Amino acid sequence: MKRKTASYYVGAIREGDRNALSRAISIVESKVTQDEKLANDILSQLSMKDMSAVRLGITGAPGVGKSTFIEAFGREVIDAGHRLAILAVDPSSPESGGSILGDKTRMLSLTVHPDVYIRPSASLSYAGGVNPSTYKSILLCEAAGFDYIIIETVGVGQSEFVVRNMVDYFLLLAQPAAGDELQGIKKGVMEMANGIAVNKCDGELIHAAELTKRQLIEALHYLPTQEEGDSPMVMVCSAIAHSGIKEVYADIEQRHLKWMKSGRLAQLRGAQREIFFRTTVQDGMKAFLLKHPKVQGQMVAYFTRLDKGEFDAFTAVASYMDWFVQQDLSSDE
Ligand SMILES: Nc1nc2c(ncn2[C@@H]2O[C@H](COP(=O)(O)OP(=O)(O)O)[C@@H](O)[C@H]2O)c(=O)[nH]1
Ligand SMILES: [Mg+2]
């Protein structure tokens, strides 16, 4: 693809050019070195001032109804006058259990709406379809005037934890459980949720959904409490019958408003910047060190000695680290 200048992309994105937005997202997702430079130039030109957008993360086991929920929920968002961007798990990823066609039909009324932008996450190299470039895509969507951003993630690998650090409100969708155990909810995920919605509360599942809701409320008692007055709301909804969706919307709206007034939102955004900086710098340092000829050369020498059985792995680690901390890595010799 032919590239333009950073200011071109920034200007076009601000004017609402969706093509430019899509291209810019591809650039920030790209692993090509020239694109990385361009991506950085684009991102550094975005304004940090506007922080009023709602950043919502939605997680839940495959099949719980995330895509269907987003379709129903999206209508509430638009009806409230927002412009909505959806960064969805790549539906072609086998983990999402979906298909491009399936998700397109599911989000049909949204895909054609002028105030909605849907972007399937491209990278499959990270579990769950979420990766550091998702944070950059969020900022690009906000620059394009989308004031409601939904990030969908499947509960695979570390994806929920990665998304948690990019969003304001983290919504967990749960299944009506048949037995008395809370199926499919990964350890640690409930603790991160600001809200939990038991989806599929319709037809024969209404009773099971209500029961699951009570079990979740019970289970939350045993978890470390969040900030005062901020314990997660447990709700039931049906994405298909479009019931309970307004309640979920209202909870997010209320908390977001409260956080904006109390300064917590600004704090959150600061923490998000810090986490992005920290993880990116750490990754960069690691990559730099592993590529460094001195470090690499010594590493290979140790591999050989380990293969020959000259020393055990523990002695090797201690000895390598002793050597490593004494190195001057500012030159390549
Ligand atoms: N009964 C019922 N089924 C639902 C509801 N929401 C989603 N489903 C069904 O659950 C299946 C998985 O939905 P999908 O949105 O693809 O789930 P995802 O994998 O979490 O994105 C589909 O067959 C949906 O029709 C709901 O509210 N009620
Ligand atoms: Mg889906």
Side-chain angles (χ1 to χ4, degrees):
M1 195 203 309
K2 206 163 169 300
R3 301 297 190 222
K4 300 199 164 109
T5 64
S7 6
Y8 164 80
Y9 288 108
V10 174
I13 288 169
R14 287 208 179 112
E15 275 164 25
D17 180 341
R18 281 176 189 234
N19 215 1
L21 174 61
S22 294
R23 277 163 187 243
I25 292 181
S26 299
I27 292 167
V28 301
E29 283 176 345
S30 166
K31 298 272 186 291
V32 181
T33 315
Q34 281 139 306
D35 283 342
E36 277 174 22
K37 166 92 178 65
L38 179 56
N40 251 324
D41 289 348
I42 295 171
L43 291 161
S44 0
Q45 284 184 32
L46 303 179
S47 164
M48 274 182 20
K49 280 192 213 101
D50 188 20
M51 306 214 288
S52 59
V54 177
R55 300 177 186 170
L56 168 66
I58 296 184
T59 193
V64 68
K66 292 180 296 298
S67 302
T68 317
F69 176 87
I70 291 170
E71 157 91 48
F73 184 83
R75 268 180 273 157
E76 294 296 330
V77 175
I78 304 160
D79 287 350
H82 290 290
R83 298 188 67 223
L84 169 65
I86 301 168
L87 305 172
V89 173
D90 187 344
S92 67
S93 150
E95 284 134 1
S96 74
S99 65
I100 288 179
L101 257 180
D103 267 10
K104 273 231 173 101
T105 38
R106 241 158 261 164
M107 295 198 194
L108 201 58
S109 72
L110 292 184
T111 27
V112 296
H113 200 286
D115 289 335
V116 181
Y117 175 78
I118 303 182
R119 170 83 181 194
S121 165
S123 175
L124 296 176
S125 56
Y126 289 84
V130 170
N131 62 67
S133 75
T134 306
Y135 179 69
K136 303 174 189 169
S137 306
I138 293 173
L139 299 184
L140 289 170
C141 288
E142 287 183 6
F146 293 98
D147 60 352
Y148 216 104
I149 322 279
I150 297 179
I151 299 105
E152 177 191 354
T153 172
V154 270
V156 175
Q158 294 294 301
S159 59
E160 298 103 325
F161 302 92
V162 177
V163 169
R164 183 67 197 100
N165 291 326
M166 299 174 179
V167 297
D168 310 322
Y169 189 110
F170 194 59
L171 176 68
L172 170 65
L173 288 190
Q175 297 262 21
D180 53 1
E181 78 229 80
L182 301 169
Q183 298 158 338
I185 299 181
K186 214 198 283 175
K187 207 175 175 304
V189 171
M190 245 168 91
E191 284 92 327
M192 301 191 298
N194 300 107
I196 306 177
V198 185
N199 189 34
K200 307 194 184 180
C201 184
D202 48 46
E204 290 174 349
L205 291 170
I206 291 183
H207 185 70
E210 292 288 354
L211 186 68
T212 304
K213 174 182 163 175
R214 288 198 295 276
Q215 288 171 341
L216 283 165
I217 292 171
E218 182 72 15
L220 281 171
H221 288 315
Y222 298 102
L223 295 180
T225 41
Q226 305 222 355
E227 261 170 63
E228 191 80 29
D230 251 345
S231 53
M233 178 85 102
V234 185
M235 301 158 274
V236 290
C237 70
S238 165
I240 282 182
H242 206 105
S243 62
I245 308 290
K246 275 193 181 8
E247 284 73 10
V248 179
Y249 181 79
D251 188 56
I252 297 169
E253 198 68 4
Q254 271 165 23
R255 286 183 203 234
H256 203 264
L257 204 64
K258 195 174 97 185
W259 295 338
M260 203 144 77
K261 284 187 187 146
S262 70
R264 181 170 157 183
L265 194 66
Q267 238 173 26
L268 250 173
R269 295 289 153 91
Q272 289 166 1
R273 278 192 291 269
E274 187 199 311
I275 288 171
F276 181 84
F277 167 80
R278 194 148 30 99
T279 48
T280 313
V281 166
Q282 282 171 358
D283 288 351
M285 282 176 171
K286 199 172 155 190
F288 169 81
L289 283 176
L290 291 176
K291 265 195 302 209
H292 198 284
K294 251 187 191 173
V295 173
Q296 217 177 33
Q298 186 76 335
M299 195 78 94
V300 172
Y302 271 62
F303 291 161
T304 313
R305 294 175 65 188
L306 281 161
D307 290 345
K308 284 192 191 146
E310 277 182 32
F311 44 24
D312 64 85
F314 314 102
T315 312
V317 169
S319 156
Y320 185 91
M321 289 313 293
D322 279 348
W323 169 85
F324 176 78
V325 295
Q326 285 173 30
Q327 299 311 301
D328 172 9
L329 299 174
S330 55
S331 77
D332 281 359
E333 280 100 71

